[in-house]
Amino acid sequence: MKTKLRYNSITFKILFLVIIFYVLTAIIIISVVDYKLRDISNNNQQKNYAEKLNLILSRLHDYNDRLTKTGAVELYLEDYQNLALSRLENNYFKNYFKNTAYNDYPMIIDQKGNILLSQNNALSNTLINLTDNLQKNSTGKFTEKNFTFKGKRYWSLYTEFSEWKWTIAYVIPLSIKYAQATKLQNNLIIIMFISTFCSLVLLTIILSKIIRPIILLTKIADTIAKGNLEPPISFLSNDEIGQLAQAFEKMRLSIKEQILQLNEEVRERKQAENNLFVTMNSIGDAVISTDNNGRIIHMNPVAMKLTGYRIAEALGKPLLDIFNIINGDNRKQCISPVDKVLATGEIINLENHTILVDREGNEYHIADSGAPIRGDSDEILGVVLVFRDITEQYKLEQQLRQSDKMQAIGQLAGGIAHDFNNMLGGIIGAAEILHNHLNGTKQAEELHSIIINAADRAAELTQQLLAFSRSKKITSTAINIHDIIQDSLSLLQRTIDKSIIIIPELNAVNDTIIGDPAQIQNIIINLGINASHAMSDGGSITIKTANKHLSSEYCEKSNFELTCGDYIEISVTDTGCGISPAVQSRIFEPFFTTKSEGKGTGLGLSAVYGNVIQHHGEISINSAINKGTTFNILFPLTEKRKNPDEAQHSNNQKGHGTILIIDDESFIRTAAKAILTDAGYSVMLAENGQEGIEIFIKNKDRIDLIILDMIMPVMNGKECFNNLIQIDPDAKVILASGYSKDEDIDKMKKNNLTAFISKPYRSQQLLQLVDKIINNL
C-alpha cells in the first residue's frame, strides 16, 4: 500500500523534527565555523596589511634619515617629503596596483587631514570624516576602522609616521577581507544540505515501513467512526500493532451492540419528545424550554405569538434575547428566570409587575413560573417556563385599586367636609346674627363682610370636597347639555387667555340628561380652565359632543357604576403640554396639584370627578407629553324634558311656631336658634338623636318642625328620623347635613322626609325653607 505523506501524519512530524534538529545543528556549526574563520581571516589580513604599512614606513624612514644627515631639516623637509611621495607613487604604488585587482587602497594623509597620496580621494575623505583625531588614534600602533561608503562596507588599517605627522592607511572592502571565510562557509552549507537531504530520504523510507500498519488501522477506525461496523478487522501480525488490531475488533463488536441499544432508546425518546411537544403545543399558556445553559430548545405557538419570534429563529439563542422581560416600575431588564431556577433548583414565579416586550416593542403584563427539568439521576437538564398574558386582568386590577383608593379618599374628604361644614355653619350663623346687633358703622360692616366672604370661600371648598366624595346632594332635573355647554363657554371666553381659541363641535342629536345644572357647568368650566393652564403660549380647546350606546359588556368592565343604554359623550381636547403617566394616576385626588404653591388648591379635577360620579357617568383621560390632553365624559340620557324654573318664595313676615333643632355641634345649635328666634320662632335644642326623640315625645303637639343633623353620636340622623316617623307619620323634618349619602336621603324621602338643606347654609336660605314648610307654601 502506497503511503501518502500528510502534514498531520506521524511520519511528517518526525521528519519535521529531524529537519528542525538538522537545521539548528547546521546553524550552530556554521555560526561557530564562520566565527572562527572570520577571526583567522581578520588576523591574517591585519598581519598582511601591517607588513605593507611597515614597508611604506621603512621607505619614509630612509628619506627622513637622509634629510637628517643634511643638517638642514627645516630647510629641505618639504623637498624630501615631495621626493618621498613621488618615489612611493612611481616605484611602489603604481607597481603595486599593476599586480592587484584594485580592491585595496593605500593612502597617505598629513596631520591637517590633507590627502597626500591616494588612488580614491572620495574614499579617503570618508575615512577622514568618520574618524576623529586620526593621527592621535594611530600614534605608535596599528588601528582598525569599519565604515560604509556608497552603500558598501569597508575595513581600514592605519598608523602614523610620527617624524612627519603623516598617517599611512590601507582600505579594503569587507567582502574582500572575508572572501576566503565566506567561500568556506558556503561550501559547508552545501555539504550540510546534501547530508540532511540524504538523511531525510533514508528516514522517510524507514518510517514508511513502520507506520504503514498504523495507517491501515487508522483507516479502519475511520470506517468505524463513519458508522460502518459490518466489515470485520482481519490483521495478521503478532506484534504490538497486531494486538491493537484485535482490540479494535473487540471494540467494533461492542460498539455495534451498544448502537443497537442506543437506537432503540433514541426511538423511544423521540416518541416521548413528540408526545411532549404535542402536549406543550396544546397548552393554552405560553411555554419555553431551555437547556441548562439558558439556550432555547423549544417554544409552543402561544410563546411564539407573544414574543413575536418563530421557533426557527429562537432555537439555540439565550433566553433573554427572545424572552425580553422588564420591571414595570423601573423599566430595567429583569434577571433571567433560568438563572434563578438553576441557582436554586426550585420552582420560581415572576414578580407581579413583570412586562414582556415582544419583537415589535409591544408590551404585555405576564404571570410566569419557571421549573427545573430533571433527568433520571435528578440532575438539572434545563428549565421550562410557563407564562400567560394578564394585561387585561392587570388593567382591571389597577382600575379596582384606583377605585378603592378614590373611594377611601372620598370617605376621608367627606368626613373632613362634614366637620368643616358644621364649623362654617356656626361661623356664618353667628356672623349674620352678630350683624343684626351691630351699630352699622363702616368698620363693623367691613369686618362682617370679611367674615362672610371668607366663610363663603371655605364653603365652596367643602362643596368641591363633597362633590368628590359623592356626598353632596344634587338637584335632579332634566337639563339640556348643549345649553349648559354654551353658557359655560361664554364664561370661559371671558376668563381664559385671548390667545386660546375655543372650538365647539356640538354634534349630539340627543342632549337631555337628569342632573344639576350648576354641577354640569362646574365640570365644563373646570376642564376648560385646566386645559388653558396647559397652553401658556396659546392653542385651542375643542369641545365635542356625540351620542353613544354602551353595551352591558362595556358597563361590566368599566370602573364606574354604569348601566347599559344611550349616553352623551363630552370630549374636551387641548393642544397643550400633555400630562405624564405618573401624574395621570393622581389628577383626580383632592389637593393634588402640579402648580406652584399658592397657584391652585388641587380641588378642581377632584370636584369634576365627584360631579361625574354623582351623575352616574364616567370620566377618562387620554394624554401624552407635548401632544395635548383629552378628557372624555359620559352621561346617561333621559327622555324627560326641561321644566320651567319654579318661582322662589320670599316672605319677610315674622315667623311663628316651635322648631326642634337636633344637632351634636353646639355652635350649630346656637347659631340656628339665634337665627330662628330673631325671626320669631320658638326653638328647642337636642344634642343627639336619642335626646331629640325624648323631647319630641314630650312636646309633639307643640313642635311644628324638626331640623335634623345626619351624623351624630348615640343615635344618628337616619335612625332618629325613622323613630320620629314611627311616633308621628305626619311629622315635618328638614334634614340639614354637609355629608350624606344619596341613597340614605332617597330612602328618607320615601318615608316622608319633608326637605333637605345643605350645610353650611345662610340665614335667609334657612328662613325661606322653614317659612315655606310651616306655612305649607
Side-chain angles (χ1 to χ4, degrees):
M1 183 176 65
K2 188 177 180 180
T3 303
K4 294 182 180 180
L5 188 61
R6 295 174 298 161
Y7 74 93
N8 58 348
S9 64
I10 295 176
T11 303
F12 179 83
K13 293 175 181 177
I14 293 174
L15 291 176
F16 179 75
L17 292 174
V18 171
I19 291 172
I20 294 297
F21 173 76
Y22 266 96
V23 170
L24 292 176
T25 303
I27 290 173
I28 293 171
I29 292 173
I30 292 171
S31 298
V32 172
V33 170
D34 179 65
Y35 174 77
K36 291 295 183 182
L37 288 174
R38 285 179 180 274
D39 186 55
I40 293 170
S41 178
N42 185 61
N43 291 334
N44 289 339
Q45 292 290 1
Q46 186 175 8
K47 182 178 180 182
N48 180 33
Y49 282 96
E51 290 176 354
K52 293 180 180 181
L53 290 174
N54 284 327
L55 178 60
I56 296 173
L57 288 172
S58 64
R59 298 291 177 89
L60 293 176
H61 279 298
D62 288 342
Y63 286 105
N64 186 59
D65 290 341
R66 293 177 190 175
L67 175 62
T68 303
K69 289 178 181 181
T70 63
V73 175
E74 294 181 359
L75 181 62
Y76 297 110
L77 175 61
E78 184 177 352
D79 293 334
Y80 271 85
Q81 288 177 341
N82 292 332
L83 179 62
L85 291 172
S86 177
R87 293 290 176 83
L88 283 172
E89 183 178 10
N90 293 327
N91 298 331
Y92 177 71
F93 278 30
K94 288 183 178 180
N95 291 331
Y96 173 77
F97 282 107
K98 287 179 182 180
N99 299 321
T100 63
Y102 294 96
N103 287 321
D104 53 3
Y105 304 94
M107 57 190 68
I108 298 175
I109 303 167
D110 65 12
Q111 63 180 352
K112 296 181 179 180
N114 298 318
I115 301 172
L116 303 177
L117 190 63
S118 174
Q119 293 294 321
N120 190 330
N121 290 342
L123 188 62
S124 300
N125 283 324
T126 301
L127 178 63
I128 293 169
N129 293 333
L130 294 174
T131 308
D132 297 332
N133 301 321
L134 189 63
Q135 293 181 347
K136 181 179 179 181
N137 293 333
S138 61
T139 302
K141 60 182 180 179
F142 292 100
T143 303
E144 293 181 82
K145 180 69 177 180
N146 293 336
F147 64 93
T148 302
F149 175 68
K150 292 184 178 181
K152 189 174 182 180
R153 296 289 292 169
Y154 288 87
W155 171 79
S156 65
L157 183 70
Y158 54 90
T159 188
E160 181 188 18
F161 177 56
S162 57
E163 286 83 352
W164 290 353
K165 305 298 182 181
W166 284 2
T167 299
I168 301 93
Y170 262 97
V171 177
I172 64 172
L174 277 176
S175 60
I176 301 301
K177 179 183 179 183
Y178 297 118
Q180 186 176 7
T182 302
K183 183 176 180 181
L184 290 173
Q185 184 186 45
N186 292 337
N187 292 335
L188 182 60
I189 291 172
I190 294 171
I191 293 170
M192 292 295 293
F193 176 78
I194 293 172
S195 64
T196 300
F197 178 77
C198 294
S199 299
L200 289 176
V201 172
L202 180 61
L203 183 61
T204 302
I205 294 172
I206 295 171
L207 288 174
S208 297
K209 295 288 185 181
I210 297 172
I211 294 175
R212 185 178 292 111
I214 297 176
I215 294 174
L216 178 60
L217 283 178
T218 301
K219 289 189 174 184
I220 293 172
D222 186 56
T223 302
I224 294 174
K226 291 179 179 178
N228 187 2
L229 299 173
E230 296 303 324
I233 300 173
S234 57
F235 194 91
L236 301 177
S237 175
N238 294 323
D239 56 10
E240 290 84 354
I241 296 176
Q243 295 175 5
L244 181 62
Q246 294 175 12
F248 263 91
E249 176 63 12
K250 292 179 181 179
M251 180 182 70
R252 182 187 71 83
L253 295 175
S254 177
I255 292 174
K256 184 176 180 181
E257 182 179 355
Q258 292 178 17
I259 286 177
L260 291 175
Q261 295 177 356
L262 288 174
N263 286 339
E264 181 62 22
E265 291 181 6
V266 168
R267 187 188 66 77
E268 293 176 355
R269 284 181 179 270
K270 284 186 176 180
Q271 183 63 39
E273 287 180 0
N274 289 335
N275 294 337
L276 176 61
F277 288 159
V278 169
T279 302
M280 290 174 62
N281 292 343
S282 302
I283 295 175
D285 290 342
V287 181
I288 298 178
S289 58
T290 73
D291 58 20
N292 55 11
N293 292 317
R295 296 188 177 276
I296 295 174
I297 57 177
H298 185 69
M299 295 172 63
N300 73 346
V302 181
M304 288 186 273
K305 180 180 179 181
L306 288 179
T307 61
Y309 290 91
R310 298 191 302 275
I311 183 64
E313 298 173 307
L315 282 178
K317 290 187 177 180
L319 177 67
L320 291 185
D321 286 0
I322 306 301
F323 187 63
N324 182 17
I325 51 176
I326 61 174
N327 186 298
D329 293 336
N330 56 29
R331 308 296 295 179
K332 293 183 179 179
Q333 188 173 49
C334 297
I335 299 173
S336 172
V338 172
D339 295 340
K340 292 182 180 180
V341 173
L342 294 177
T344 62
E346 299 176 353
I347 297 174
I348 61 98
N349 292 295
L350 288 182
E351 297 177 357
N352 293 333
H353 44 260
T354 300
I355 294 175
L356 170 66
V357 183
D358 72 3
R359 188 175 196 169
E360 303 299 328
N362 301 313
E363 297 185 356
Y364 304 94
H365 287 272
I366 61 170
D368 173 274
S369 65
I373 302 173
R374 297 187 181 273
D376 296 336
S377 302
D378 203 40
E379 75 280 12
I380 297 178
L381 303 178
V383 175
V384 60
L385 299 176
V386 181
F387 57 97
R388 64 184 181 277
D389 178 13
I390 60 167
T391 304
E392 291 301 321
Q393 177 183 341
Y394 180 83
K395 289 180 180 178
L396 290 174
E397 290 175 354
Q398 289 294 99
Q399 290 177 356
L400 180 59
R401 280 193 288 269
Q402 181 69 9
S403 176
D404 292 342
K405 181 178 74 172
M406 298 301 283
Q407 184 176 0
I409 294 174
Q411 291 175 352
L412 175 63
I416 294 173
H418 167 261
D419 292 341
F420 199 40
N421 269 338
N422 283 335
M423 298 176 190
L424 289 173
I427 293 171
I428 293 173
E432 290 184 327
I433 295 168
L434 184 62
H435 181 259
N436 295 332
H437 298 281
L438 292 176
N439 55 13
T441 63
K442 181 178 180 181
Q443 183 178 11
E445 291 293 337
E446 288 178 350
L447 293 175
H448 171 261
S449 178
I450 290 173
I451 295 172
I452 294 299
N453 289 336
D456 284 343
R457 291 185 60 187
E460 289 177 5
L461 292 178
T462 59
Q463 294 306 309
Q464 290 175 323
L465 282 174
L466 288 171
F468 174 78
S469 67
R470 290 173 273 179
S471 300
K472 181 179 183 294
K473 183 63 181 172
I474 67 171
T475 301
S476 296
T477 183
I479 58 175
N480 186 295
I481 282 287
H482 286 168
D483 291 343
I484 299 295
I485 293 175
Q486 295 288 7
D487 293 341
S488 302
L489 296 186
S490 297
L491 292 172
L492 273 177
Q493 286 173 338
R494 294 193 296 269
T495 304
I496 63 176
D497 195 296
K498 300 300 181 183
S499 62
I500 299 174
I501 301 171
I502 299 177
I503 305 172
E505 296 183 7
L506 310 180
N507 300 320
V509 176
N510 300 319
D511 59 357
T512 304
I513 69 169
I514 297 295
D516 188 329
Q519 288 195 12
I520 300 299
Q521 188 176 71
N522 181 62
I523 291 172
I524 303 301
I525 292 175
N526 264 310
L527 291 180
I529 292 174
N530 188 72
S532 68
H533 290 167
M535 298 181 289
S536 57
D537 297 327
S540 65
I541 301 174
T542 302
I543 300 180
K544 297 180 180 180
T545 62
N547 291 126
K548 188 174 183 180
H549 181 81
L550 299 188
S551 65
S552 57
E553 182 181 359
Y554 179 94
C555 296
E556 288 175 1
K557 291 183 178 180
S558 175
N559 193 39
F560 296 80
E561 296 178 0
L562 303 178
T563 56
C564 63
D566 293 327
Y567 283 72
I568 185 170
E569 183 179 49
I570 306 171
S571 300
V572 181
T573 302
D574 65 62
T575 58
C577 58
I579 304 174
S580 67
V583 173
Q584 288 182 38
S585 64
R586 301 191 61 193
I587 57 173
F588 295 124
E589 296 179 12
F591 305 113
F592 175 79
T593 178
T594 57
K595 300 172 186 174
S596 58
E597 186 174 354
K599 297 295 185 180
T601 63
L603 287 172
L605 289 178
S606 65
V608 168
Y609 180 87
N611 288 336
V612 170
I613 299 300
Q614 285 190 304
H615 285 80
H616 308 290
E618 178 185 77
I619 183 169
S620 61
I621 181 173
N622 182 15
S623 181
I625 298 298
N626 298 324
K627 292 185 179 180
T629 301
T630 297
F631 284 91
N632 293 308
I633 301 172
L634 290 171
F635 288 129
L637 292 169
T638 182
E639 295 181 357
K640 294 182 180 180
R641 289 294 175 261
K642 181 178 178 182
N643 295 321
D645 295 333
E646 294 181 357
Q648 293 291 331
H649 175 75
S650 177
N651 187 4
N652 295 323
Q653 296 179 359
K654 203 69 172 177
H656 59 89
T658 301
I659 300 173
L660 171 61
I661 300 175
I662 306 174
D663 200 305
D664 61 317
E665 297 290 352
S666 61
F667 45 81
I668 291 291
R669 296 195 303 272
T670 303
K673 180 179 179 180
I675 293 170
L676 294 170
T677 301
D678 282 355
Y681 296 100
S682 298
V683 179
M684 296 181 180
L685 300 179
E687 294 184 1
N688 55 62
Q690 184 64 47
E691 183 180 352
I693 291 172
E694 293 173 358
I695 294 174
F696 182 71
I697 291 173
K698 294 178 182 179
N699 302 280
K700 66 178 182 177
D701 294 334
R702 293 175 50 201
I703 295 175
D704 299 293
L705 178 64
I706 303 168
I707 299 176
L708 176 65
D709 186 22
M710 177 60 88
I711 300 176
M712 295 180 294
V714 183
M715 179 184 291
N716 63 32
K718 182 179 179 182
E719 294 174 351
C720 180
F721 172 76
N722 292 333
N723 287 322
L724 291 172
I725 295 302
Q726 287 180 1
I727 296 169
D728 182 3
D730 296 326
K732 297 178 180 179
V733 181
I734 298 176
L735 181 65
S737 177
Y739 177 71
S740 57
K741 297 180 180 178
D742 289 347
E743 57 268 26
D744 291 338
I745 297 175
D746 291 339
K747 290 179 180 178
M748 293 169 72
K749 279 187 175 181
K750 290 179 181 178
N751 288 331
N752 295 328
L753 176 68
T754 308
F756 174 87
I757 187 169
S758 180
K759 290 182 180 179
Y761 44 76
R762 301 292 294 271
S763 59
Q764 190 62 31
Q765 183 184 5
L766 176 63
L767 292 174
Q768 286 180 351
L769 182 60
V770 169
D771 178 62
K772 179 180 178 181
I773 294 173
I774 289 181
N775 294 301
N776 295 319
L777 297 176

